[in-house]
Amino acid sequence: MTGEHQTLALSLFCAFVAVTLGITAWVSRNRRGSAEEFYAGGRLFSPMQNGFAIAGDYMSAASFLGVTGLMALFGYDGLLYVVGFLVAWLVVLFLVAELVRNCGRFTMADVVAARMRERPVRIAAGTSSVTVSVLYLVAQMVGAGSLVALLLGGTSEAARDWTVIGVGALMVIYVSLGGMRATTWIQIVKAVLLLGGTVVLTALVLVRFHGDLDRLLLTAAERSGHGEAFLAPGLKYGGDWTARFDFISLGLALVLGTAGLPHILSRFYTVPTARAARRSVVWAVGLIGGFYLMTIVLGFGAAAILGPDAVRGSNAAGNTAVPLLALDLGGGAGSTGGTVLFAIVAAVAFATILAVVAGITLASSASVAHDLYASLRRRGGKPRSEVAVARVAAVGVGVVAIALGLLARDLNVAFLVGLAFAVAASANLPVLLYSLFWRGFTTRGAVWAVYGGLVPAVVLVVLSPVVSGSPDSLFPAVDLQYFPLQNPGIVSIPLGFLAGWLGTVTSAEVPDEAKHAETEVRSLTGAGAA
């Protein structure tokens, strides 16, 4: 990239950072300092505002950079991510949003602990939430590193590393100073910028092909080098039975994982009523649905206009397809239009990453303070403020995410998010659904459901081709590959549900009928909800 590209893109990004830091500073001066303010923004956001914030939280670097790159490289098979990400919201809307808002205060563990022994349940749920959050954060860090490597005109590891560290530092500042209110406004601003940028790029791609989608798809197939196979299933996931099972595994993880993501669940507590939570999801589904339809055009547009070889040449995982597409649509390298459009898209992508990491960091620090610290601290000692602990936890989570982001710098961000979704669907979703709908569910069942999904998911990832045993692994020189699939969802998700059932039926604990009845009434009516 030319110095003109770099200067303009960095200027726009710095302007966004300045605005968001200003929001954070303003909020930090006007907050009350309570746990409700820090974790839930005082529950003062409207359904529309929260819907935009949810969309901002969900439309991550995986969506904007990773999914479009996968479609540019693998065609039809890349669409799995779009379908999975969008269909997942039906599970959230019909099974989770309203009930979680009524039963909890700040975290998923609040919902489960309402009718169980609190300490073991909060420790298990808090551990799972932090694990999922860190995996999700790593994907955003990798996206940031890829973007800056492109922006600075090379693949300098030092530039990537410092970018990951800088993004980590900013997310800690947003969370520790501004809490949920600042994070929400940052996500709203980011959602508007991202949707606006995506609309412009989609319009330019359609103009390039005179609105003819058939021509767009046929050109993409021709330039891909795979012909009609580019538009049919199987290019990435159809080679053998292992690849097909990977396809099923990934689909399960994407569809079921959203309902177990801690940073998505925490958004339902920022509105005043359960009805507002449900309407928030309706807003979010509309915004997210429109966005993902446009990413299909961008993904195939990148294949048709740039070609997969150019996409791979910039970044082997395809993470830079959209910025390169913007450069070409604006007039190419060296043109004023290309420079401006590239700079805008790069700045929007950075804004996307910053907003999402802030939301995830807040959710994980809330789990550490509200669930783990409150359960593990020594009795009789002087307790520290939960909010103070959450701020310290944000720093710790940031350090871990930075370290793992540096390690996983060469993996596709959408693929990394798929792993986070698999862990969320394996560990969080079973315990959440059992707690809400199973009258006989017990404390042992809750703990077993969490660990029965979490441990297999993490172990299978460690033993998969993602970590070792292949040239694209995190550790290519090591071979610990004993599990053939890249995504563990097809095994770990059923294990989570099975462990929850087994723990319950083997438990000597008698389910508390009164607590279940109270939880059921509260979840369905909102009576007594915070």
Side-chain angles (χ1 to χ4, degrees):
M1 297 300 129
T2 65
E4 194 177 2
H5 286 98
Q6 297 173 17
T7 303
L8 185 55
L10 290 173
S11 297
L12 289 171
F13 174 62
C14 289
F16 175 81
V17 171
V19 170
T20 52
L21 287 175
I23 291 171
T24 304
W26 175 75
V27 168
S28 66
R29 284 205 314 269
N30 292 279
R31 69 180 182 213
R32 298 189 301 272
S34 66
E36 185 175 32
E37 174 72 22
F38 186 82
Y39 295 142
R43 309 189 198 278
L44 298 174
F45 292 97
S46 69
M48 184 181 75
Q49 290 170 336
N50 198 43
F52 269 89
I54 291 173
D57 227 348
Y58 197 69
M59 296 183 303
S60 65
S63 305
F64 193 52
L65 301 177
V67 171
T68 48
L70 285 173
M71 282 189 283
L73 297 178
F74 300 106
Y76 185 95
D77 277 11
L79 280 173
L80 172 64
Y81 285 87
V82 173
V83 174
F85 284 149
L86 189 54
V87 170
W89 280 99
L90 297 178
V91 179
V92 177
L93 179 60
F94 292 119
L95 294 180
V96 172
E98 184 176 354
L99 306 183
V100 165
R101 171 62 186 79
N102 285 340
C103 287
R105 290 186 68 218
F106 305 128
T107 65
M108 179 192 76
D110 290 337
V111 179
V112 183
R115 47 178 293 218
M116 310 290 176
R117 294 199 312 273
E118 284 204 33
R119 191 169 187 270
V121 166
R122 285 194 181 278
I123 292 172
T127 301
S128 173
S129 295
V130 172
T131 304
V132 172
S133 297
V134 169
L135 282 173
Y136 209 111
L137 278 172
V138 170
Q140 312 310 314
M141 299 296 191
V142 171
S146 299
L147 200 59
V148 164
L150 175 65
L151 183 62
L152 298 181
T155 55
S156 166
E157 290 190 6
R160 287 189 181 191
D161 294 350
W162 281 108
T163 302
V164 169
I165 293 169
V167 169
L170 282 170
M171 78 185 186
V172 170
I173 292 171
Y174 291 144
V175 172
S176 59
L177 293 182
M180 178 59 85
R181 189 171 298 192
T183 300
T184 299
W185 281 112
I186 291 168
Q187 287 160 345
I188 291 171
V189 171
K190 167 255 172 147
V192 172
L193 290 174
L194 181 60
L195 287 168
T198 308
V199 167
V200 171
L201 287 179
T202 302
L204 290 174
V205 170
L206 293 176
V207 167
R208 177 73 67 93
F209 290 91
H210 307 290
D212 189 341
L213 290 175
D214 282 346
R215 184 181 167 198
L216 167 63
L217 295 175
L218 291 173
T219 305
E222 289 171 9
R223 295 209 60 183
S224 71
H226 298 286
E228 293 184 0
F230 191 72
L231 304 178
L235 194 59
K236 181 174 174 61
Y237 294 110
D240 52 28
W241 280 106
T242 299
R244 293 173 189 176
F245 278 118
D246 236 334
F247 180 90
I248 298 170
S249 188
L250 178 62
L252 284 171
L254 295 180
V255 170
L256 299 178
T258 300
L261 292 175
H263 66 291
I264 297 298
L265 295 175
S266 66
R267 292 239 53 91
F268 301 134
Y269 301 124
T270 63
V271 289
T273 65
R275 183 170 181 268
R278 190 170 62 250
R279 289 174 61 201
S280 296
V281 176
V282 173
W283 271 99
V285 169
L287 295 169
I288 293 167
F291 170 76
Y292 280 122
L293 287 175
M294 290 187 286
T295 61
I296 296 173
V297 176
L298 297 184
F300 284 97
I305 295 171
L306 303 172
D309 290 339
V311 173
R312 282 195 184 92
S314 173
N315 181 274
N319 293 330
T320 54
V322 172
L324 289 174
L325 178 63
L327 181 64
D328 191 285
L329 291 172
S335 66
T336 301
T339 299
V340 171
L341 197 56
F342 173 87
I344 291 172
V345 169
V348 167
F350 261 116
T352 296
I353 291 165
L354 280 181
V356 172
V357 297
I360 302 168
T361 305
L362 180 61
S364 56
S365 62
S367 291
V368 171
H370 187 62
D371 300 325
L372 295 178
Y373 171 73
S375 300
L376 294 174
R377 68 179 176 83
R378 287 182 298 177
R379 300 292 184 254
K382 184 180 179 181
R384 296 181 62 183
S385 161
E386 264 193 28
V387 174
V389 174
R391 292 194 179 105
V392 174
V395 177
V397 170
V399 170
V400 173
I402 288 169
L404 292 176
L406 296 176
L407 188 64
R409 65 168 68 93
D410 294 322
L411 296 181
N412 182 278
V413 289
F415 167 73
L416 286 170
V417 164
L419 295 182
F421 273 60
V423 177
S426 304
N428 291 351
L429 186 64
V431 71
L432 202 56
L433 294 183
Y434 279 150
S435 297
L436 291 170
F437 298 109
W438 187 6
R439 182 180 298 274
F441 198 43
T442 64
T443 301
R444 177 191 282 184
V447 174
W448 283 26
V450 173
Y451 292 128
L454 176 64
V455 174
V458 173
V459 169
L460 290 177
V461 169
V462 171
L463 299 179
S464 74
V466 175
V467 173
S468 66
S470 72
D472 299 326
S473 301
L474 292 179
F475 302 104
V478 181
D479 189 0
L480 297 173
Q481 180 188 334
Y482 297 100
F483 181 66
L485 306 183
Q486 293 190 339
N487 191 292
I490 194 171
V491 175
S492 59
I493 294 172
L495 283 179
F497 282 98
L498 178 62
W501 172 81
L502 190 62
T504 298
V505 299
T506 60
S507 173
E509 177 186 350
V510 178
D512 192 324
E513 294 286 340
K515 279 190 176 180
H516 175 267
E518 180 185 342
T519 301
E520 187 174 37
V521 171
R522 182 172 164 183
S523 67
L524 295 174
T525 66

